[in-house]
Amino acid sequence: MADEAPFQFLHSELIQYIYKSADTEDTENGRNISKLENLGCRVGQGLIERLTKDAPRFKDELDIMKFICKDFWTCLFKKQIDNLRTNHQGIYVLQDSQFRLLSHLSAGKQYLDYAPKYLAFTCGLVRGALSNLGLRSVVTAEISDMPACKFQVLIQKM
Amino acid sequence: MWPRLLRHSAAQFGRGPTHEMPHFPNSELFTLTYGALVTQLCKDYENDEEVNKQLDKMGYNIGVRLIEDFLARSTIGRCQDFRETADVIAKVAFKMYLGITPSVTNWSPAGDEFSLILENNPLADFVELPDNHNTLIYSNLLCGVLRGALEMVQMAVDVKFAQDTLRGDNVTEIRMKFIKRIEENLPAGEE
């Protein structure tokens, strides 16, 4: 079973790189988040392709979201999403109460500003995965209580 | 349109029964993320040499932190000499982090230089380099990681790829040379 550490270190370094190569702190932040998200999207597309190569067809949108919460999340972080909520009209909220990529940041409030950087790539992973499964989406994330966070998926009508 | 740097060709991955998900190692996540990083660097920098340097630098930043993780998890004590260091790198560290065990060979007569031969390189799984990147050292991150990690345990080393299957060689070979012992309390070399 592959170790988690290489990816976690690489992910941190990737964030440092994206932010360091930006010129200014504030105005670039949105662009950096997008860059990270887009990188995640590419990776998510590749991953889901390989993960679902031999899987049976999905029944419906909810089936796909459950797959993301269970199999895909396990592939990424060796655990499942802890809670999935939906309004059955295309909005899903995925809650991870121990998000792996935040676990190295301490639980204090002072890191709340930095934490969005650590979610962007994963939002991209989800968006990329969904896009290869035929769903167009917008994925955002917010931190409720470190290290718990919520990913919000808005499925867009094609 | 940016030419596809990486072509991840489809590969066989354990065909399990369809009602059961195949056991899927998440080294894929690492491999694909690394590929995305290299692609981004190639986009950001003019030439391969710059990309190689960036990869080395990023590897170094990772290495200086990875070593703590390694020491905490492996319970390996202080190595007596460079030979022992080589064995620990190949048999413990590579195994732990990348799931492979390179062989240690080609020792110099003075015992200060050796090669790690990697039969397969997880960073480069399913990667093909396009023709316009033939001086790119795709896995150069590894050199930085090794250099940074060893610097934290007081060893200055020089690490470079001597052979690379991505560039047409039969094996991937990393050459490591011991430069000198670093006295404790000196500031680390790079930012």
Side-chain angles (χ1 to χ4, degrees):
Chain A
M1 189 67 179
D3 197 75
E4 291 181 291
F7 172 70
Q8 288 180 4
F9 280 102
L10 184 63
H11 177 257
S12 286
E13 197 52 38
L14 180 62
I15 294 169
Q16 299 290 51
Y17 170 73
I18 295 286
Y19 274 77
K20 214 162 45 168
S21 49
D23 292 316
T24 62
E25 189 56 52
D26 292 298
T27 59
E28 293 294 339
N29 193 46
R31 195 126 61 102
N32 294 336
I33 297 282
S34 290
K35 267 192 184 169
L36 285 166
E37 208 267 354
N38 283 322
L39 284 167
C41 192
R42 279 183 63 128
V43 175
Q45 287 178 311
L47 272 177
I48 202 74
E49 201 176 288
R50 305 166 59 69
L51 190 57
T52 57
K53 220 165 69 67
D54 296 317
R57 239 176 149 60
F58 293 105
K59 296 201 300 272
D60 54 25
E61 189 179 284
L62 183 59
D63 210 24
I64 292 178
M65 291 310 299
K66 284 184 182 164
F67 180 86
I68 297 286
C69 293
K70 302 207 300 229
D71 304 270
F72 189 61
W73 218 255
T74 302
C75 166
L76 298 176
F77 305 117
K78 294 188 188 168
K79 69 180 286 287
Q80 298 185 5
I81 281 287
D82 296 297
N83 197 322
L84 171 67
R85 283 207 179 100
T86 179
N87 65 353
H88 293 289
Q89 283 175 25
I91 300 184
Y92 299 84
V93 179
L94 287 62
Q95 185 165 328
D96 188 330
S97 49
Q98 275 276 325
F99 188 52
R100 287 283 204 259
L101 301 181
L102 290 177
S103 55
H104 67 289
L105 294 178
S106 76
K109 289 243 183 284
Q110 71 267 35
Y111 290 107
L112 278 179
D113 285 338
Y114 297 110
K117 301 182 194 178
Y118 286 86
L119 304 176
F121 187 83
T122 304
C123 288
L125 286 173
V126 176
R127 182 166 69 88
L130 289 174
S131 89
N132 259 19
L133 294 176
L135 294 176
R136 210 161 56 136
S137 62
V138 174
V139 183
T140 52
E142 63 176 34
I143 298 174
S144 27
D145 259 305
M146 292 273 262
C149 64
K150 293 194 175 123
F151 292 88
Q152 180 165 297
V153 178
L154 173 61
I155 304 292
Q156 298 181 303
K157 294 298 167 211
M158 298 285 228
Chain B
M1 183 63 222
W2 178 252
R4 288 274 300 273
L5 174 68
L6 307 173
R7 282 169 295 184
H8 285 100
S9 44
Q12 298 298 337
F13 251 88
R15 289 222 162 115
T18 50
H19 59 274
E20 204 180 273
M21 281 315 303
H23 173 73
F24 212 86
N26 77 341
S27 57
E28 287 279 302
L29 174 60
F30 176 73
T31 300
L32 289 175
T33 302
Y34 187 71
L37 168 66
V38 178
T39 305
Q40 183 67 44
L41 290 175
C42 288
K43 229 196 285 206
D44 293 343
Y45 291 95
E46 306 273 288
N47 58 65
D48 290 348
E49 204 36 60
E50 277 304 315
V51 177
N52 294 340
K53 261 201 268 186
Q54 258 321 293
L55 285 173
D56 179 79
K57 195 156 117 178
M58 292 175 75
Y60 177 86
N61 292 341
I62 291 175
V64 300
R65 288 154 53 215
L66 192 75
I67 185 72
E68 283 175 35
D69 182 79
F70 177 71
L71 292 174
R73 290 163 58 190
S74 69
T75 68
I76 295 279
R78 192 173 271 284
C79 289
Q80 296 301 323
D81 56 28
F82 203 47
R83 278 189 184 262
E84 207 181 317
T85 305
D87 279 342
V88 168
I89 290 172
K91 295 179 184 145
V92 189
F94 265 86
K95 185 100 177 76
M96 182 189 290
Y97 292 116
L98 296 178
I100 58 170
T101 309
S103 44
V104 177
T105 61
N106 292 352
W107 279 98
S108 62
D112 64 347
E113 208 173 331
F114 68 92
S115 291
L116 290 166
I117 308 284
L118 283 67
E119 294 292 325
N120 71 301
N121 177 4
L123 275 73
D125 271 346
F126 316 121
V127 171
E128 292 167 36
L129 291 184
D131 295 326
N132 58 330
H133 284 284
N134 47 25
T135 50
L136 179 66
I137 308 171
Y138 183 83
S139 308
N140 212 32
L141 192 97
L142 281 182
C143 295
V145 173
L146 288 165
R147 192 166 59 83
L150 289 177
E151 189 175 301
M152 294 299 107
V153 289
Q154 275 65 57
M155 275 182 266
V157 294
D158 187 59
V159 190
K160 47 170 67 94
F161 275 87
Q163 295 189 75
D164 193 348
T165 51
L166 284 184
R167 313 243 292 256
D169 299 310
N170 287 333
V171 289
T172 298
E173 178 185 355
I174 297 175
R175 192 92 187 129
M176 289 190 65
K177 182 181 171 71
F178 179 81
I179 307 290
K180 63 175 186 185
R181 215 168 155 60
I182 304 173
E183 293 308 315
E184 307 219 18
N185 302 322
L186 280 181
E190 296 182 27
E191 94 246 17

